[in-house]
Structure formats: C-alpha cells, structure tokens
Amino acid sequence: GQQVMQIPQYQHVQEGEDFTTYCNSSTTLSNIQWYKQRPGGHPVFLIQLVKSGEVKKQKRLTFQFGEAKKNSSLHITATQTTDVGTYFCAAVTGGGNKLTFGTGTQLKVEL
Amino acid sequence: DARVTQTPRDKVTEMGQEVTMRCQPILGHNTVFWYRQTMMQGLELLAYFRNRAPLDDSGMPKDRFSAEMPDATLATLKIQPSEPRDSAVYFCASGLSRNTEAFFGQGTRLTVV
C-alpha cells in the first residue's frame, strides 16, 4: 500500500537556524499537502503542491514538489520558537479522495 | 467559525467495553476521514467517506472497528470490544471536495484500561 516516509524523524535546532524535512513516496502522487501539528493540537493545513517541480513560499517556509512527483520538501529559514511542532506531508491519491500522512518530522527550537 | 466537532474529547473505558466516537463535519463538506494517532504509528488512515459512502476502510481492524455516516452531519467510529492497544487519539477530518485541504477536529483521546 501507499507509504510515505519523512526524514528526519526529529530535529533540534537553535533559534535562527534553518530546518528542512524531506518526504518520499513509494508511488507517484496526484498532489502533496503539508500540515503542521503543534504539541497537544491537531494537524493544520499549510499548503498543497500540484505540479511537477512546483515551488511555493509562505514567508519563511519554502515548499517543493519533486519533478517525478514522488518527493517533496519543506524548508524553514531562520527558525523561531513559534515553528515548534510536527510537520507532516500528506499524499493525495485515489483520484483526489485519499489522504495518507507521512511519518512526520518533530521540530524543536531552542533559544 | 466553521469547524469539525468531535465528541467526546476524552474517554477512559475498560477493556471489552464498546466505544463510540462522533464527528460533525463542516457543513457542506462531502469528504470525511478518520485517523488514529499514536507515538509508534503516527497518523494512520482508518477510513474515509465521500458523499457518505465509504470509499476505503482497509486501515481499520475489521473485527472490532466500524465506521458509518448515518447522515451528512454525523460520522461515527465504533470499537467493540475495545482493547488496551486501541488507546490513541482519534481524529476526524472533513474536506470540501477532492484535492482540497482537510480540516481536523480536536480529536478524541481514548484510553482503554
């Protein structure tokens, strides 16, 4: 079945350092979505990537979709304590109906 | 402020008891997902519905879990009988249509003792 792996599993950074999480799928994806879950909270949608090679930016966050539509990355520039949480990619398959989450990357930011 | 509502927020039950979790999707959303989150397994997709019809429930243990949508405003996830390994946070999410974002509820934290 669909498998979506993320690396790293955990990342500790000092405030101001950059952070990147990578998402890899075993199959070609229709789209990919990214979510953030704060400690004790629920996943919240960040963005959706649709096109091969697509790059989107949200302030300090940069999202990329691979050319083969099997991998994606999220890069945060100059992390802040508000960036703490777990970042998930989610593979959109099944004709756009099925949403399978990756294993997640837990980010901790230290002052 | 439209949101997905899940009840109960917390549930502690004894092994062998039946547990029913409820979800009210955002009005007008036609896709509903059920996820289970544990430290070990992450966010597992249990089942999802489109226009109230189950599209895939292959992620659920069939012998004890069942998911239904009696109407467009209610989705239920039932576990009978419950076991300690079912302890987790169960999330419901809804979406407006295909290829759109999923809105998550606050989750139901289930503890089976």
Side-chain angles (χ1 to χ4, degrees), chain A residues 1 4 21 30 38-39 45-46 49-50 60-61 64 68 84 98:
Chain A
V4 185
T21 173
S30 301
R38 287 197 162 95
F45 175 82
L46 294 175
L49 304 173
V50 177
R60 294 178 295 104
L61 278 61
Q64 291 189 323
V84 165
K98 188 172 184 177

Side-chain angles (χ1 to χ4, degrees), chain A residues 31 35 37 48 96-97 99, chain B residues 35 37 50 98-100 102:
Chain A
N31 310 320
Y35 290 76
Q37 184 177 21
Q48 176 166 259
N97 293 303
L99 197 58
Chain B
Y35 291 92
Q37 187 171 39
R50 181 168 173 80
R98 291 183 300 172
N99 295 310
T100 60

